[in-house]
Amino acid sequence: MKIAVYCEKMREDGLALIGKARAMAPKSRVIALCEEQDEAVLSCGADELAYLGLVLDDCAQACRVAEVLKTLGPDIALFPATVRGRFISAWAAAKLQTGLTADCTALSITEDGILKQTRPAYGSNLTADILCRERRPQMASVRPGVFPVPASTKRVEDRAFSDLSGLAAPSLLELLAHTPVEGGASLSSARVVVAGGKGVGGAEGFALLRVLAELLGGAVGATRSAVDAGYISYAHQVGQTGVTVRPELYIAFGISGMIQHTVGMSAARTVVAVNTDKNAPIFRSADYGIVAPWRETALYMLQFIKERKGLI
Amino acid sequence: MRILVCVKQVPDTTEVRLREDYTLERDFIAQVMNPADESALEWALQTREKLGGETTVLSMGPERAETTLREAIARGADYAALLTDRRFAGADTLITARCLAAAAKRLGGFDMIVCGRRAVDGETGQVGPMLAALLNIPCVPNVTVAQAGEKLIADQLTEAGVNRWASGYPALLTFCEWSYRLRLPTLSGLRRARQAEIMRLTPDELGLSAEECGIKASPTRVVRVEARPVGVRPCKWMDAEGVMTALMERCPEAMP
């Protein structure tokens, strides 16, 4: 079995997918399709580093990926479910006329050697298992953060390298500018996440949460409804269509606990929920529940931590 | 400028029931236009106001998706077409994109195609990019702001920040839910919506055989669905002081 894994520049999702590919199909040949020449893909278990590079035109890049997949002929192709990963996988699947499952949270190989793709469906109330029996490759995008990055091994001598960076594609888009996101981008690897929902009321509410997060050395998370309401940027969104986090501590302020959100934080070691509604579903996902106004509670915690740190 | 807006009728709730065959039970739930599609429609209407031209809305779905198309006309869309036929049913994202691509070609001559970035029911976000790939036109997904001038300029939201792309025409954009807020219907719009003719298109009219559409053609298949409560924990009720004290003990590595 041949498995291709798309590895984005400056992100570790590809490494996690290589680890997953190795674990679910130990005898497979894993080819890392890389935007940058990163030897880490080899020490994480890939048999081959196929260096594709990255052209500053996502459509052209997607055409190149489709070409490479056509040539390599893998049985399975995995992509990180980031904005670019989702786009490239969708474009390539259409070009190859094959099936693609978006935003998977679990993968396994069935007895008859088919990739079983599991994803939350229908508003995340359900999980669905999806198969692509006939067409190849079987393609899936995988939500960032659901699989751990494997520990690196030293066995890299017998691994192969190929340079595909010369592959040309017609130009469709021109990148005029890139504005990096403001701080807190390390959400997916944060040790502490302080998150807010629509109940936080606005951007000022999130400013308070940011102070608390900074004191705890953590990052700020948000629900989709808070992001949709414009309280905070999309980069902070935790959940089905955002980031999956696995912190030591997750504190949820003013979050109702829709399953679309909780799927993104259920791997947290300890969860504290603060909500004025005792029946809010978030308390079913919490180890500790505080039924109180969020601001009052946040201010209390702030005070508590400042005292601990000797800041007061 | 001729703009095609692809819209989907979706259930107005996340409480969705399933049929035996794991397809959606859509019959007893209020149906609305997918929120991100509203954003795309509003952009199309504003662009038509600036540059002239016409806006066509296109949907694939059961007969009753017609109400969503009439709603779009009430807000200002000029024409509407509905792909409705039993042979279209059960299509996965690839086959949905194939049918929409065939309809876009059949209706013909669009300078722009716009969609929502994802539907609230399926949440795959795949149909827009797949449609662009099949038509071989540039595509920018996840757009917050776009300007159609000599070139098309679109700001795209990603995890790493905002990318500003430029493209020629025709091109396809998918919009975020909050990018453009859809205007309310006008009285004359409502009148037009009642009287408007909604074009129906069948697979034959799109030049597609029964084997090329619907569940038959779809490479992916849902084989099992499970209602699975995610991450249920036993919740201890406490006040803020109690929680902070407990946290010192339970996760000292996360506390100062």
Side-chain angles (χ1 to χ4, degrees), chain A residues 11 56-59 81-84 86-87 90-91 93-95 97-102 118-119 121-123 125-133 135 141 172-181 191-192 216 224 227-228 234-235 237 240-241 248-249 258-260 262-263 265-272 278 283-291 297 300-301 304-305 308-309, chain B residues 14-16 18 22-24 92-95 98 117-118 120-127 129-142 151 153 156-168 177-178 217 219-248 250-256:
Chain A
R11 291 188 63 99
L56 293 178
D57 170 348
D58 283 358
C59 289
T82 55
V83 171
R84 184 159 72 235
R86 282 162 174 271
F87 172 71
W91 182 284
K95 292 287 185 198
Q97 295 281 302
T98 190
L100 168 65
T101 303
T118 305
R119 73 179 300 256
Y122 313 138
N125 293 305
L126 305 161
T127 41
D129 291 343
I130 293 164
L131 303 182
C132 174
R133 287 194 180 276
R135 302 296 181 88
S141 67
L172 292 169
L173 294 175
E174 183 191 348
L175 184 64
L176 298 180
H178 171 73
T179 316
V181 73
R191 218 161 34 89
V192 178
L216 287 166
R224 178 160 136 195
V227 171
D228 286 358
Y234 171 63
Q237 187 171 313
Q240 186 181 11
T241 46
E248 290 293 323
L249 174 62
M258 301 274 283
I259 194 145
Q260 289 92 330
T262 56
V263 290
M265 47 69 81
S266 58
R269 201 163 83 79
T270 302
V271 176
V272 177
K278 191 171 179 175
F283 289 123
R284 290 205 292 268
S285 305
D287 300 289
Y288 299 103
I290 303 173
V291 181
T297 310
Y300 175 85
M301 289 180 173
F304 183 96
I305 294 155
R308 284 277 310 172
K309 285 189 152 184
Chain B
T14 50
E15 296 293 313
V16 175
L18 296 182
Y22 302 137
T23 56
L24 280 174
D92 69 2
T93 53
L94 177 70
I95 302 307
R98 175 186 289 171
R117 66 162 164 171
R118 65 183 171 210
V120 292
D121 51 355
E123 295 215 295
T124 69
Q126 288 175 178
V127 172
M130 284 176 157
L131 175 56
L134 295 178
L135 294 171
N136 211 22
I137 61 175
C139 174
V140 181
N142 249 34
K151 275 184 176 180
I153 310 286
Q156 174 191 47
L157 190 58
T158 75
E159 299 81 7
V162 176
N163 293 326
R164 174 162 292 180
W165 297 101
S167 140
E177 293 77 348
W178 63 87
T220 63
R221 203 58 55 93
V222 175
V223 292
R224 197 187 59 113
V225 169
E226 186 185 20
R228 199 164 50 190
V230 182
V232 173
R233 300 168 191 240
C235 183
K236 292 195 195 85
W237 302 99
M238 288 185 184
D239 61 5
E241 190 184 350
V243 166
M244 293 312 273
T245 313
L247 288 178
M248 300 300 300
R250 179 170 164 139
C251 43
E253 63 289 349
M255 297 298 283

Side-chain angles (χ1 to χ4, degrees), chain B residues 25-247:
Chain B
E25 175 63 80
R26 296 166 194 262
D27 294 339
F28 304 105
I29 296 167
Q31 303 289 322
V32 295
M33 191 186 302
N34 179 52
D37 304 352
E38 289 193 356
S39 187
L41 174 59
E42 179 60 31
W43 183 84
L45 296 174
Q46 288 182 17
T47 302
R48 184 195 58 188
E49 276 157 11
K50 271 181 229 143
L51 305 175
E54 59 189 46
T55 300
T56 303
V57 279
L58 170 67
S59 189
M60 181 163 90
E63 261 302 318
R64 65 146 182 277
E66 181 189 324
T67 55
T68 293
L69 293 174
R70 289 198 188 275
E71 210 177 288
I73 292 172
R75 318 283 176 137
D78 300 293
Y79 306 103
L82 178 61
L83 310 186
T84 188
D85 189 290
R86 281 177 47 199
R87 287 166 287 176
F88 287 128
D92 69 2
T93 53
L94 177 70
I95 302 307
T96 302
R98 175 186 289 171
C99 297
L100 294 176
K105 280 185 193 152
R106 163 77 205 272
L107 296 168
F110 294 105
D111 304 296
M112 287 283 312
I113 300 177
V114 293
C115 317
R117 66 162 164 171
R118 65 183 171 210
V120 292
D121 51 355
E123 295 215 295
T124 69
Q126 288 175 178
V127 172
M130 284 176 157
L131 175 56
L134 295 178
L135 294 171
N136 211 22
I137 61 175
C139 174
V140 181
N142 249 34
V143 171
T144 53
V145 185
Q147 193 118 34
E150 202 167 309
K151 275 184 176 180
L152 177 67
I153 310 286
D155 284 358
Q156 174 191 47
L157 190 58
T158 75
E159 299 81 7
V162 176
N163 293 326
R164 174 162 292 180
W165 297 101
S167 140
Y169 300 97
L172 187 148
L173 303 179
T174 79
F175 284 87
C176 297
E177 293 77 348
W178 63 87
S179 302
Y180 293 87
R181 183 182 291 272
L182 182 59
R183 63 196 61 192
L184 295 170
T186 59
L187 273 178
S188 63
L190 287 168
R191 202 173 313 122
R192 264 181 16 83
R194 267 198 305 277
Q195 293 158 357
E197 192 179 326
I198 310 281
M199 189 197 292
R200 300 283 195 289
L201 292 168
T202 62
D204 313 307
E205 287 163 306
L206 299 182
L208 294 172
S209 70
E211 280 64 43
E212 288 172 304
C213 38
I215 195 164
K216 267 191 193 163
S218 296
T220 63
R221 203 58 55 93
V222 175
V223 292
R224 197 187 59 113
V225 169
E226 186 185 20
R228 199 164 50 190
V230 182
V232 173
R233 300 168 191 240
C235 183
K236 292 195 195 85
W237 302 99
M238 288 185 184
D239 61 5
E241 190 184 350
V243 166
M244 293 312 273
T245 313
L247 288 178

